[in-house]
Amino acid sequence: METSRRTVIAAAAAGLTAATVGTAHAAGGKKPVRELFGRLADGTKVHRWSLENGGTRLRVLSYGGIVQSLEIPDRHGRYRNVSLGFGDLDSYVASSPYFGALIGRYGNRIGKGQFTLDGKNHQLSVNDGVNSLHGGAKGFDKRVWDVEGFASGSDVGLVLHYTSVDGEMGYPGTLRVKVTYTLTRHGDWRIDYEATTDRATVVNLTSHVYWNLAGEGSGSVYDHELEIAASRYTPVDSGLIPTGELAKVAGTPFDFRRTKTVGRDIRVAHQQLLYGKGIDHNWVLDKGVTARPEHVATLRDPSSGRTLRIATTEPGLQFYSGNFLDGTLVGTGGHIYRQGDALCLETQHFPDSPNHPSFPSTVLRPGQTYRTSTVHSFGR
């Protein structure tokens, strides 16, 4: 229901060694550094921002708000980029499966690209069979954002702005979006999302980083250990659209309430895994919508000791096991990406929520402010 969501509203180039990459980042506590990354076909400049704090190194593009790389040390202090991406702008424009991107207006899928709001039907851009995925054919991941760097106290970060005009990709209302990426003195990467509208609309923003804590291009993540604080998930149909059921994870391959490896049950003969060609499902977080980020998931790579802990205000988490990486893309380190070479943990409201009144609402109205936050904490 709509009131359940408003509880929140109320209140450097490819192939460089780790050592070389480190010299290109801003020193801890200093304002991020900007450089030209490339130009789009129409001549629009795309910049890359580099920032470092608390042992975490981050590179972000103004195109799509994309995290091009995120470097953290292992148990021996050795840095590796733990996110998938490309070394050049043309690759992102041509064929990126949302590597590292900001997703909007609506993260995940909307069935048949349609929803009804206040009695009016809206037809969205359809780009995933008959469905709309991640905002349509030209979502926020394919827009150039206005970016400003900042250093505030012990934090450094970026503020990204984008205005989505009324009717863009079929969505009603002019949506003004502000996203803040912050690196804290502890090395946490925090994302704060805000948006306002001049007309009733639906919004579901998220980040689509592909994680491999052993290092980008190092192979499968099936031996990573994962725990998710969720007793239920949303089963899908053959088009990966939720059926509306909130099913128990107990006794299924989707039970990550206790830590287990990503690959342990991924090839079990379960209809939901057949639909997704692996895992591509939304977990219903036990905590629900919260005013402050609360811990919901832990990912660990035993080989390096690197860990990722995720806290969020959101009620859902999309776990995608990299099922559609098919060996046709070459990443920043010069390696071919294959199925299972990374995974995504996208904090969100549920897929197709506008068509399921029982799901937490994604409706935003004039006078309200959309606010969600997610914190990624790294350890070893």
Side-chain angles (χ1 to χ4, degrees), residues 230-235 243-250 252 254 272 282 284:
S231 303
R232 296 180 182 270
Y233 76 108
T234 52
T243 64
E245 180 186 6
L246 306 183
K248 293 181 179 179
V249 300
T252 77
F254 301 94
Q272 289 294 306
N282 170 66
V284 179

Side-chain angles (χ1 to χ4, degrees), residues 348-364:
Q348 60 177 15
H349 270 57
F350 305 167
D352 203 33
S353 289
N355 295 311
H356 295 277
S358 63
F359 287 1
S361 176
T362 54
V363 173
L364 180 68

Side-chain angles (χ1 to χ4, degrees), residues 130-141:
V130 300
N131 303 315
S132 184
L133 174 65
H134 293 331
K138 193 174 181 181
F140 290 0
D141 60 295

Side-chain angles (χ1 to χ4, degrees), residues 20-349:
T20 303
V21 169
T23 64
H25 287 272
K30 292 185 179 179
K31 193 171 181 178
V33 174
R34 187 183 79 163
E35 61 184 318
L36 182 65
F37 185 69
R39 295 175 186 267
L40 298 178
D42 64 1
T44 301
K45 293 180 180 179
V46 172
H47 293 97
R48 177 170 62 189
W49 293 78
S50 299
L51 53 158
E52 178 178 354
N53 205 11
T56 299
R57 301 166 175 170
L58 185 64
R59 280 181 164 175
V60 176
L61 307 182
S62 58
Y63 179 77
I66 288 170
V67 172
Q68 188 203 18
S69 67
L70 193 154
E71 300 173 19
I72 55 174
D74 66 6
R75 61 168 62 93
H76 302 295
R78 295 174 299 203
Y79 277 84
R80 288 288 299 271
N81 173 22
V82 296
S83 67
L84 270 56
F86 295 119
D88 62 276
L89 179 59
D90 289 346
S91 295
Y92 283 107
V93 173
S95 59
S96 177
Y98 306 100
F99 284 151
L102 278 176
I103 302 298
R105 285 189 191 191
Y106 200 96
N108 221 305
R109 294 173 175 86
I110 295 182
K112 299 182 180 179
Q114 297 180 353
F115 68 92
T116 299
L117 179 59
D118 296 338
K120 183 175 180 179
N121 185 65
H122 298 276
Q123 178 62 58
L124 307 175
S125 166
V126 171
N127 62 328
D128 183 48
V130 300
N131 303 315
S132 184
L133 174 65
H134 293 331
K138 193 174 181 181
F140 290 0
D141 60 295
K142 298 175 180 67
R143 307 290 180 170
V144 176
W145 293 65
D146 293 325
V147 185
E148 296 179 359
F150 70 86
S152 177
S154 59
D155 295 338
V156 299
L158 304 172
V159 180
L160 301 94
H161 290 273
Y162 177 70
T163 298
S164 176
V165 299
D166 183 27
E168 185 175 280
M169 297 294 104
Y171 287 90
T174 295
L175 190 76
R176 300 184 185 280
V177 184
K178 173 185 174 183
V179 179
T180 305
Y181 288 170
T182 302
L183 284 186
T184 74
R185 65 186 179 89
H186 301 294
D188 296 345
W189 174 41
R190 178 176 177 127
I191 312 176
D192 293 290
Y193 306 87
E194 295 183 24
T196 58
T197 185
D198 62 0
R199 182 180 170 195
T201 191
V202 294
V203 188
N204 190 29
L205 306 181
T206 190
S207 172
H208 208 293
V209 172
Y210 283 68
W211 300 102
N212 185 325
L213 297 183
E216 175 273 339
S218 64
S220 172
V221 295
Y222 288 169
D223 61 350
H224 280 36
E225 298 167 347
L226 178 64
E227 181 178 354
I228 303 174
S231 303
R232 296 180 182 270
Y233 76 108
T234 52
V236 296
D237 63 18
S238 60
L240 301 183
I241 300 298
T243 64
E245 180 186 6
L246 306 183
K248 293 181 179 179
V249 300
T252 77
F254 301 94
D255 192 350
F256 283 86
R257 291 174 297 172
R258 294 186 178 181
T259 302
K260 69 177 182 181
T261 60
V262 169
R264 194 186 83 176
D265 298 325
I266 205 165
R267 301 199 186 279
V268 170
H270 190 285
Q271 184 61 62
Q272 289 294 306
L273 296 179
L274 292 171
Y275 283 154
K277 296 181 173 58
I279 298 172
D280 192 5
H281 293 75
N282 170 66
W283 266 250
V284 179
L285 299 173
D286 290 339
K287 73 174 189 63
V289 177
T290 50
R292 297 174 181 271
E294 294 187 11
H295 174 257
V296 296
T298 301
L299 181 69
R300 180 176 183 271
D301 169 43
S303 65
S304 66
R306 294 186 184 94
T307 61
L308 164 64
R309 289 173 55 85
I310 295 178
T312 188
T313 59
E314 291 280 52
L317 180 75
Q318 185 82 8
F319 169 22
Y320 166 58
S321 57
N323 316 321
F324 301 106
L325 297 174
D326 60 4
T328 62
L329 302 177
V330 179
T332 50
H335 299 281
I336 292 173
Y337 294 151
R338 299 190 182 278
Q339 186 180 54
D341 279 359
L343 60 84
C344 301
L345 297 168
E346 305 156 60
T347 56
Q348 60 177 15
H349 270 57

